[in-house]
């Protein structure tokens, strides 16, 4: 293949002929390619799969992380151990392309690897690495660990994704008409393009679109502007020029705010998140319009097709048998890791996603008296599984994970698993009767794990945040903690209210339905499967990006 005048190697649908480059720090394409940490990657991976299915003229631009995010292991007492192992991928092609970028006023060589579409049925993807002999050791470490804890290394990673990605596109001759930043990590591309187009900001604005995933200002990346300058983030511009260009007079460089000023259009990742984002950024001038494109997941990759066939055929016996078989298969993983044998006939709750404080992994356990009663109930027995990866230096989240591990030693029907990646994620969604999701409203921008759970016959039970208000009709296709005006109460009161309601809905509605009226329960499962396929397959999302962002005329 000629990588110097690259074209997407399959026929392009005319509706999607505009050339687009999609920049993301992480992509969860398939289990063997470990270059992702969580939801942002799961979203980007589904987007790449849908771009392939729809025959869109789109390429993915990412980084080949030598050690991935990290590998979850256990200490002797079963608690979390963070380990890193080198990853080797025989399915990636060496493009033969190497080029230089500047990091910390120093030349760094970048090597480009290629993931062909036919390997995992994704859009073509180019992955950059600095872990090559031409670089000194410090430069090699730029692509060692996804979201490195060292601030200078992280800024270098941002430069690689943005500047390196934009230069890579010039190297392969793809010449995108749209540069799509999935989060602000790749924003340094804007400074590269600013120089490329003779320092005309309008030329950058014409081409740049931005997706924000963070529903609170404090969560957006900010770095010292002098550090960024010293790291060569601004492609030769002085600090004063950057302040004038971005309209940020202080010494903190806000990547998301800069992206909202450079981009011609941006989007939040759910209807609610779009509203929260517009409100959050309203106090700043000169930002672009913020639309909503609700996240989605790739149905073809995630859904259990046999379960859908039984549903379509009206074969309830086959449907029930398939779900029980999926639970049984997943429970073998539980037994292997924890020595606990779960029963496929027992109602199974799963909480599995990234561990972060606002997601409140341990919420259901915070009232131990009620939790003990729930776990010992012989009339309505339950089994609960937790899994997920905390950020490797988020010590409060790691403590929360470890507390659950220690608590699980008291119950034969509670398990905490390690290794939460694409493979285990799919198995746990198949294991779940109830997919539990209880972030603090409105902290969850989207929260896509419940979509793929519904695609595998799990019923969503969630606080009313992220994508949930667009999906759940309580008692019809899922259940919610009844929403109240959380702005009027403290965080502690919010946690207590949500905990009380969680038990109320679980014990008064969900468990009696499952055990006393299974026909109705099954119908709720089927309704969720139908609704998630109609609204939250990522083919809909990938089409909306073209219709609402990429093809939107630039008004200047």
């Amino acid at each position: 293949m000629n990588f110097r005048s690259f074209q997407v190697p399959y026929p392009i649908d005319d509706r999607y002929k505009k050339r687009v480059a999609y920049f993301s720090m992480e992509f969860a394409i398939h289990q063997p390619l470990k270059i992702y940490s969580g939801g942002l990657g799961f979203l980007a991976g589904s987007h790449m799969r849908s771009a392939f299915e729809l025959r869109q003229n789109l390429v993915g631009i990412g980084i080949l992380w030598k050690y991935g995010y990290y590998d979850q292991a256990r200490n002797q007492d079963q608690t979390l151990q963070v380990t890193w192992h080198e990853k080797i991928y025989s399915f990636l092609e060496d493009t033969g392309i190497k080029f230089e970028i500047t990091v910390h006023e120093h030349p760094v060589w970048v090597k480009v690897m290629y993931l062909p579409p036919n390997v995992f049925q994704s859009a073509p993807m180019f992955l950059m690495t600095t872990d090559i002999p031409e670089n000194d050791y410090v430069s090699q470490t730029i692509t060692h660990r996804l979201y490195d804890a060292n601030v200078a290394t992280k800024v270098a990673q941002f430069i690689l994704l943005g500047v390196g990605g934009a230069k890579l596109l010039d190297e392969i001759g793809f010449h995108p008409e749209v540069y799509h930043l999935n989060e602000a990590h790749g924003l340094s591309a804007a400074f590269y393009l600013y120089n490329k187009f003779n320092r005309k900001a309008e030329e950058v604005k014409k081409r740049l679109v931005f997706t924000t995933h963070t529903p609170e200002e404090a969560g957006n990346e900010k770095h010292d502007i002098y550090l960024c300058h010293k790291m060569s983030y601004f492609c030769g511009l002085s600090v004063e020029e950057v302040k004038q260009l971005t309209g940020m007079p202080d010494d903190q460089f806000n990547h998301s705010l800069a992206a909202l000023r450079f981009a011609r259009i941006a989007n939040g990742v759910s209807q609610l998140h779009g509203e929260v984002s517009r409100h959050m950024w309203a106090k700043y001038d000169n930002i672009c319009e913020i639309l909503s494109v609700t996240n989605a997941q790739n149905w073809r990759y995630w859904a259990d097709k046999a379960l859908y066939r039984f549903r379509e055929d009206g074969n309830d016996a086959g449907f029930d048998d398939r779900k029980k078989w999926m639970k049984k298969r997943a429970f073998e993983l539980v037994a292997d890791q924890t020595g606990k044998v779960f029963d496929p006939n027992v109602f199974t709750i799963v909480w599995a996603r990234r561990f972060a404080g606002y997601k409140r992994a341990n919420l259901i356990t915070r009232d131990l008296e009620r939790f003990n009663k729930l776990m010992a109930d012989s009339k309505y027995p339950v089994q609960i599984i937790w899994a997920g990866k905390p950020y490797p230096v988020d010590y409060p989240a790691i403590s929360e994970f470890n507390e659950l591990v220690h608590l699980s030693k008291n119950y034969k029907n509670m398990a905490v698993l390690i290794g939460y990646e694409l493979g285990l994620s799919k198995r746990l969604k198949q294991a779940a009767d109830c997919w539990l999701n209880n972030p603090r409203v409105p902290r969850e921008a989207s929260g896509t794990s419940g979509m793929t759970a519904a695609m595998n016959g799990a019923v969503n039970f969630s606080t009313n945040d992220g994508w949930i208000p667009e999906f759940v009709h309580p008692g019809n296709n899922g259940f919610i903690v009844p929403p109240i005006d959380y702005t009027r109460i403290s965080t502690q009161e919010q946690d207590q209210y949500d905990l009380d309601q969680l038990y109320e809905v679980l014990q008064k509605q969900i468990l009696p339905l499952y055990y006393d009226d299974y026909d109705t329960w099954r119908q709720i499962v089927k309704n969720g499967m139908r609704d998630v396929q109609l609204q939250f397959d990522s083919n809909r999302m990938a089409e909306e990006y073209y219709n609402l962002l990429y093809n939107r005329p630039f008004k200047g």
Side-chain angles (χ1 to χ4, degrees):
M1 176 178 278
N2 180 5
F3 288 107
R4 290 293 180 181
S5 53
F6 183 79
Q7 293 183 327
V8 172
Y10 42 74
I12 299 299
D13 185 315
D14 276 350
R15 292 172 297 170
Y16 313 116
K17 62 186 179 188
K18 188 167 273 192
R19 288 186 307 282
V20 178
Y22 182 98
F23 289 64
S24 186
M25 278 284 269
E26 49 174 307
F27 290 91
I29 300 286
H30 201 18
Q31 175 72 21
L33 184 57
K34 297 172 189 293
I35 56 169
Y36 58 88
S37 75
L40 187 74
F42 279 49
L43 164 79
S46 278
H47 198 145
M48 293 304 103
R49 284 181 171 273
S50 285
F52 173 80
E53 284 177 32
L54 295 172
R55 296 295 186 255
Q56 294 182 339
N57 197 6
L58 181 148
V59 299
I61 304 294
I63 295 175
L64 185 60
W65 303 105
K66 182 175 184 176
Y67 299 107
Y69 181 45
Y70 72 93
D71 296 283
Q72 222 176 0
R74 293 189 194 268
N75 295 309
Q76 283 185 321
D77 64 353
Q78 298 287 306
T79 53
L80 174 65
Q81 185 181 49
V82 173
T83 62
W84 278 276
H85 302 297
E86 182 179 351
K87 310 295 186 286
I88 297 170
Y89 305 113
S90 65
F91 49 80
L92 296 178
E93 291 180 19
D94 188 344
T95 62
I97 294 173
K98 288 180 187 172
F99 59 86
E100 272 187 11
I101 60 171
T102 302
V103 178
H104 208 268
E105 302 169 347
H106 179 80
V108 172
W109 280 95
V110 178
K111 179 179 176 178
V112 182
M113 304 298 287
Y114 176 65
L115 177 66
N118 60 341
V119 177
F120 299 129
Q121 287 69 57
S122 70
M125 292 191 54
F126 292 91
L127 302 173
M128 297 173 286
T129 178
T130 61
D131 188 54
I132 52 177
E134 289 88 337
N135 289 324
D136 60 39
Y137 177 72
V138 172
S139 300
Q140 289 176 12
T141 63
I142 294 170
T143 58
H144 279 188
R145 297 175 180 179
L146 172 58
Y147 303 130
D148 197 291
N150 181 284
V151 174
T153 307
K154 189 187 267 194
V155 172
Q157 293 174 345
F158 291 178
I159 295 167
L160 175 61
L161 180 63
V163 175
K167 190 167 182 181
L168 154 63
L169 290 158
D170 289 345
E171 292 280 332
I172 65 172
F174 186 67
H175 306 306
E177 296 161 88
V178 175
Y179 293 75
H180 180 176
L181 304 183
N182 184 38
E183 258 308 350
H185 305 123
L187 176 72
S188 61
F191 297 99
Y192 177 88
L193 296 174
Y194 181 68
N195 282 337
K196 178 180 173 177
F197 294 112
N198 303 313
R199 299 204 165 187
K200 290 178 181 168
E202 283 291 287
E203 293 297 318
V204 180
K205 213 175 181 71
K206 254 184 216 176
R207 294 167 172 84
L208 203 66
V209 303
F210 170 52
T211 298
T212 174
H213 293 259
T214 312
E216 55 181 24
E217 200 175 338
N220 288 278
E221 293 277 0
K222 298 184 187 77
H223 291 103
D224 181 273
I225 197 166
Y226 293 98
L227 170 70
C228 292
H229 181 255
K230 184 72 178 165
M231 294 292 298
S232 310
Y233 185 97
F234 302 120
C235 299
L237 273 66
S238 70
V239 168
E240 286 312 311
E241 285 173 313
V242 171
K243 287 183 175 184
Q244 193 171 355
L245 181 62
T246 60
M248 287 189 270
D250 61 11
D251 292 345
Q252 282 289 302
F253 181 74
N254 184 326
H255 298 264
S256 295
L257 179 56
L260 288 165
R261 286 177 170 162
F262 269 121
R264 62 184 170 93
I265 192 145
N267 71 286
V269 289
S270 66
Q271 294 295 327
L272 178 60
H273 179 231
E275 289 171 26
V276 168
S277 296
R278 286 186 287 275
H279 177 74
M280 183 170 85
W281 297 106
K283 62 180 184 246
Y284 296 98
D285 57 6
N286 298 323
I287 66 164
C288 64
E289 185 182 353
I290 303 173
L291 307 176
S292 292
V293 177
T294 300
N295 279 350
Q297 293 288 293
N298 186 255
W299 185 86
R300 187 170 289 182
Y301 177 76
W302 282 101
D304 186 72
K305 312 307 180 299
L307 201 62
Y308 270 88
R309 278 195 297 273
F310 286 126
R311 178 187 158 274
E312 284 153 21
D313 294 343
N315 183 345
D316 287 348
F319 186 91
D320 296 348
D321 187 59
R322 175 68 182 175
K323 182 63 185 178
K324 276 187 183 156
W325 180 82
M326 290 196 299
K327 289 172 73 175
K328 191 169 187 293
R329 179 175 59 179
F331 292 163
E332 288 172 8
L333 300 174
V334 176
D336 182 45
Q337 280 202 31
T338 68
K340 297 177 183 184
V341 178
F342 279 19
D343 182 348
N345 296 302
V346 169
F347 184 79
T348 302
I349 300 168
V350 178
W351 190 104
R353 56 188 53 78
R354 182 169 65 89
F355 269 66
Y358 76 90
K359 292 178 186 279
R360 301 184 299 189
N362 65 3
L363 182 65
I364 197 172
T365 70
R366 289 185 191 175
D367 184 330
L368 261 182
E369 189 180 334
R370 275 194 284 193
F371 185 69
N372 283 332
K373 198 172 166 188
L374 175 72
M375 299 301 277
D377 192 336
S378 56
K379 184 182 179 186
Y380 296 142
V382 300
Q383 299 164 151
I384 310 185
I385 304 169
W386 274 267
K389 283 185 171 182
Y391 179 58
V393 292
D394 183 352
Y395 298 112
I398 291 171
S399 293
E400 192 175 19
F401 184 94
N402 290 338
E403 283 163 17
L404 287 167
V405 169
H406 289 306
L407 184 65
S408 73
K409 294 173 183 177
N410 301 326
Y411 308 94
K412 63 181 182 182
N413 51 340
M414 173 183 173
V416 182
L417 304 189
I418 58 165
Y420 189 67
E421 295 176 353
L422 282 166
L424 183 60
S425 176
K426 190 166 187 174
R427 286 287 176 263
L428 289 183
K429 283 152 187 178
Q430 294 174 341
D433 294 301
C434 170
W435 190 257
L436 181 61
N437 178 47
N438 43 241
R440 282 195 195 101
V441 179
R443 298 282 306 275
E444 192 69 85
S446 182
T448 54
S449 66
M451 298 173 187
T452 45
M455 291 174 187
N456 288 281
V459 170
N460 276 274
F461 178 28
S462 178
T463 48
N464 203 36
D465 203 6
W467 75 292
I468 291 293
E470 297 169 59
F471 172 68
V472 171
H473 301 285
N476 177 271
N477 65 357
F479 296 87
I480 59 171
V481 169
I484 57 169
D485 184 356
Y486 291 110
T487 61
R488 297 178 179 276
I489 57 176
S490 69
T491 299
Q492 289 77 13
E493 289 169 324
Q494 179 176 1
D495 287 359
Q496 190 60 50
Y497 170 80
D498 288 345
L499 176 62
D500 292 341
Q501 291 299 316
L502 192 153
Y503 273 101
E504 181 76 13
V505 174
L506 182 62
Q507 294 180 314
K508 301 275 179 66
Q509 296 180 49
I510 294 176
L511 287 168
L513 260 180
Y514 183 84
Y515 283 108
D516 301 337
D517 187 2
Y518 193 80
D519 287 346
T520 302
W521 177 264
R522 186 196 302 111
Q523 192 56 52
I524 293 170
V525 174
K526 289 180 176 181
N527 292 346
M529 290 170 65
R530 174 199 64 210
D531 295 345
V532 81
Q533 185 182 9
L534 286 171
Q535 295 172 265
F536 300 99
D537 176 11
S538 54
N539 285 13
R540 183 270 305 157
M541 177 186 76
E543 182 177 16
E544 281 188 5
Y545 273 112
Y546 262 90
N547 293 342
L548 300 178
L549 276 77
Y550 307 160
N551 288 334
R552 188 184 175 102
F554 177 60
K555 292 171 184 169

